[in-house]
Amino acid sequence: MTSTLHADPIARSLTGLAPELSDDYAAALPRATQLVTRRLLGAVCRERLAPVAWAGGRTRLAGDWYRMRRYGFGRIEVDDPVSVPLRRVLGALGLNGTAVAHEMHDACRNLALAYARRTRADETLRTAARLAGAPDLLALAEPLPADEQMLLFERLSTAGHNLHPCGRTRLGWSLADVLAHDLESPGTAVAFVAVQRSAHTGDDVGGLLRAAYPWLPSPPPGYVLQPVHAWQLEAVVKRRHAGLVESGILRLVPGAVLRAAPTAALRTVLLEPDARGVQRYLKLSLDIQVTSTRRSISLASARNGPAVSALLTDLLADAPQVLLMHEVAGAAVHCAGRDMTAILRNGLSTQLHPGEVAVPAGALPATSPLTGRPVLAELVDRYPGTPLDFVEAYARLLLQPVLRTAAAGIGLEAHLQNSIPTFRDGVPYRIAFRDFAGLRIHTPRLHERTGRRLALQPGSVIATHDLNVLRAKAGYTTFQAHLGEILLQLAEARTIDEAAGWHRVRGVLEEARAADPDDHGFWTAPTMPHKALLRMRLVPDRGDIYVPVRNPLNKVRF
């Protein structure tokens, strides 16, 4: 371990930047490497990237034997501990020296750093819980405004994407950047530039923020304010677009800053309360690689967001169990490409009822520092029924809007990161959706069934004329990435039998069968498309790649 740490850029830099984290980082690195290795092995099996042999409860993969557990939709979980070093696994797969190998080593180091930082954050939460007399995180979060509730839970999502082996990559950030702006950081900041009107495209996001935060300065005549992530301004805008500053197209606005808190998405930040105490979110271009993607934002995403938000609001107007975090405005600097795009999003703080707690679904598998168990387990403990009853209630809450909007021509991207269920005394109560840049709209079905034509930006990736593209998007995110994780967590804790859980989910599907019989046939077919995240890293720039996986919903007979 000593030699590994000696060659580790984070370990070397910690001695100067955050020496108090050095020991915890060294202790956490094996655990982090284990998780990345297990996710890599699971992805290789699921995406059939190497021959797999099963024998006597063990699996031969990439030249070594492992104990693995199989779950629905081809999910493979590798038992701890994996004794094979990550470099050997990568070598057996022919990946050593590749960009993917670099990303995985980066993910290991950043995950270990996140674990080290969590050690101190968890103690702070335990102290707060003792002072408040809170037995679990739900009790600790309940008195907080909704968006602060969400932030409390979201900061527990340490491991990142639940399926991607590179869930904690931070390529493009130095250690100092990670310490200042990552999920475990106490805060980040939003800066502003003034942009000539002729170079500005979209809504006046800066003007809307000035109305809420009157201490922000007015832009010079002929300019508008544009928010920029503080790191992006220093590392990208000032360097890559120095010519725009020199020409006067951009003007720096020193001192115009809003405090913000990073969310799990990193490029989306929760702003400080405005003059009336209201909080809202900004999604800002952040030119670093997280999981598979550099997190800049297209002009199309900025311009389509408000229109899609309005459409979903109309389609779900009679669904009181659904909340939408509206994208109310979006803007970009057209001569700066994707580097200065911004999307303003409403929060939830004025929308919750007394006793209602908002829990981002990405935090459901996270370990509670108060009980040492998943947040999901704390919820199931509170639920006034059996764990299978909880699964059915949760599935109904999630599936009703997903299946309904699919039938209308919109495939929601309802994975864990975009879904925020709310609970009252452990009962699934309502569900909010956010971030509409990744959904899919089948424009012919939308017009045929709703009479609507949506004016999307040219070249928008969210538009499709293939219904199976819509179904694959909704099916992968909702059933596999979202419900699949919940059932896996409960099955691994021996709280439910996984097959019985899928039986309950299929029952909810049968209730909604009339929404669209052809969609229903897709959801219950023998196989369903699985988004092959690792394959997509191996052949970048190919867009979404899917492989068929066995569908546990097909085995259920009604």
Side-chain angles (χ1 to χ4, degrees):
M1 177 59 68
T2 302
S3 60
T4 302
L5 287 176
H6 181 71
D8 183 338
I10 288 184
R12 291 198 309 269
S13 300
L14 275 175
T15 58
L17 291 173
E20 71 280 3
L21 294 174
S22 292
D23 290 344
D24 288 336
Y25 174 79
L29 190 57
R31 175 187 171 198
T33 304
Q34 279 280 320
L35 180 62
V36 172
T37 305
R38 283 167 29 226
R39 286 184 173 173
L40 169 62
L41 292 167
V44 169
C45 287
R46 189 169 56 250
E47 300 177 23
R48 295 184 289 283
L49 285 166
V52 179
W54 298 84
R58 301 179 72 211
T59 308
R60 183 173 177 82
L61 173 65
D64 290 290
W65 288 94
Y66 305 92
R67 291 195 177 276
M68 298 186 178
R69 304 177 303 284
R70 296 195 248 193
Y71 292 95
F73 293 112
R75 182 80 178 263
I76 301 291
E77 289 296 303
V78 184
D79 282 340
D80 277 327
V82 176
S83 59
V84 181
L86 176 59
R87 288 188 182 277
R88 190 164 111 190
V89 177
L90 290 168
L93 295 169
L95 296 176
N96 270 339
T98 66
V100 170
H102 176 60
E103 291 166 17
M104 290 188 186
H105 289 300
D106 186 75
C108 292
R109 291 189 289 265
N110 281 294
L111 179 56
L113 180 60
Y115 283 150
R117 300 177 81 184
R118 269 287 302 273
T119 300
R120 287 159 172 73
D122 285 358
E123 186 54 45
T124 299
L125 285 176
R126 285 190 285 269
T127 300
R130 285 194 296 270
L131 294 174
D136 59 20
L137 283 175
L138 279 298
L140 184 62
E142 185 176 336
L144 300 174
D147 297 294
E148 296 293 336
Q149 293 176 0
M150 291 167 57
L151 188 63
L152 183 153
F153 286 106
E154 202 150 15
R155 281 179 165 161
L156 304 178
S157 303
T158 309
H161 196 293
N162 60 321
L163 295 175
H164 205 305
C166 298
R168 284 299 299 220
T169 50
R170 300 292 189 261
L171 294 175
W173 267 358
S174 67
L175 173 62
D177 297 330
V178 171
L179 293 173
H181 304 292
D182 209 348
L183 177 62
E184 291 74 28
S185 304
T188 182
V190 175
F192 290 82
V193 295
V195 184
Q196 279 186 357
R197 288 189 181 277
S198 60
H200 183 267
T201 301
D203 305 304
D204 187 357
V205 175
L208 293 173
L209 291 173
R210 282 195 65 248
Y213 302 89
W215 53 88
L216 290 174
S218 300
Y223 286 76
V224 295
L225 281 184
Q226 179 74 357
V228 184
H229 192 285
W231 179 86
Q232 186 82 352
L233 177 63
E234 295 299 323
V236 177
V237 175
K238 288 184 178 180
R239 298 178 185 180
R240 188 178 297 167
H241 303 293
L244 297 179
V245 177
E246 292 170 2
S247 68
I249 293 173
L250 298 182
R251 291 190 185 181
L252 304 180
V253 189
V257 176
L258 291 177
R259 291 179 290 108
T263 69
L266 293 188
R267 62 179 168 180
T268 300
V269 298
L270 175 62
L271 295 177
E272 63 178 285
D274 69 7
R276 297 185 296 115
V278 175
Q279 289 185 275
R280 47 183 64 75
Y281 296 84
L282 272 175
K283 182 178 178 181
L284 302 165
S285 289
L286 195 62
D287 197 19
I288 64 169
Q289 183 177 319
V290 180
T291 60
S292 300
T293 310
R294 297 200 75 81
R295 298 295 165 168
S296 56
I297 305 171
S298 70
L299 171 63
S301 294
R303 301 302 296 130
N304 290 335
V308 172
S309 296
L311 174 63
L312 287 171
T313 298
D314 289 346
L315 293 179
L316 295 169
D318 60 345
Q321 81 279 15
V322 179
L323 300 168
L324 296 172
M325 296 177 66
H326 297 91
E327 295 175 7
V328 296
V333 180
H334 60 72
C335 50
R338 300 168 58 102
D339 289 342
M340 297 179 63
T341 311
I343 300 171
L344 183 61
R345 180 187 300 160
N346 283 345
L348 287 181
S349 289
T350 60
Q351 301 187 61
L352 296 198
H353 300 154
E356 190 175 7
V357 179
V359 184
L364 293 175
T367 301
S368 165
L370 305 191
T371 64
R373 303 168 64 215
V375 173
L376 178 63
E378 294 186 357
L379 285 161
V380 172
D381 284 349
R382 284 177 168 236
Y383 185 76
T386 69
L388 282 174
D389 292 338
F390 175 91
V391 167
E392 182 175 331
Y394 189 97
R396 184 173 290 109
L397 181 69
L398 173 64
L399 289 179
Q400 283 181 347
V402 170
L403 301 181
R404 179 176 172 180
T405 52
I410 301 177
L412 288 177
E413 192 180 34
H415 52 46
L416 295 168
Q417 295 90 333
N418 283 354
S419 308
I420 304 96
T422 72
F423 302 88
R424 296 182 85 178
D425 295 322
V427 176
Y429 184 63
R430 293 193 289 177
I431 189 163
F433 296 106
R434 64 184 175 190
D435 200 340
F436 307 127
L439 51 70
R440 292 295 182 268
I441 299 176
H442 188 268
T443 49
R445 176 183 277 191
L446 179 67
H447 181 249
E448 174 190 341
R449 298 191 175 176
T450 71
R452 297 172 184 273
R453 295 187 189 276
L454 195 60
L456 298 173
Q457 289 290 301
S460 295
V461 296
I462 66 174
T464 181
H465 280 68
D466 185 343
L467 276 169
N468 282 342
V469 169
L470 177 156
R471 292 165 178 151
K473 173 66 72 170
Y476 165 71
T477 58
T478 305
F479 293 103
Q480 300 179 48
H482 193 147
L483 289 174
E485 181 69 29
I486 288 173
L487 267 62
L488 179 146
Q489 291 290 332
L490 295 176
E492 293 224 317
R494 303 185 184 278
T495 303
I496 66 166
D497 172 73
E498 190 204 13
W502 287 120
H503 188 276
R504 293 292 188 101
V505 174
R506 177 66 186 265
V508 175
L509 263 176
E510 293 301 313
E511 294 172 7
R513 185 173 192 148
D516 188 279
D518 291 333
D519 290 352
H520 183 275
F522 187 94
W523 313 135
T524 58
T527 63
M528 194 183 290
H530 169 80
K531 192 173 182 180
L533 299 169
L534 185 54
R535 281 183 181 269
M536 290 166 61
R537 289 309 306 138
L538 295 174
V539 283
D541 304 321
R542 279 271 307 275
D544 289 348
I545 299 174
Y546 289 90
V547 296
V549 291
R550 291 182 181 178
N551 183 0
L553 296 168
N554 176 257
K555 298 178 182 179
V556 180
R557 302 298 178 191
F558 277 80

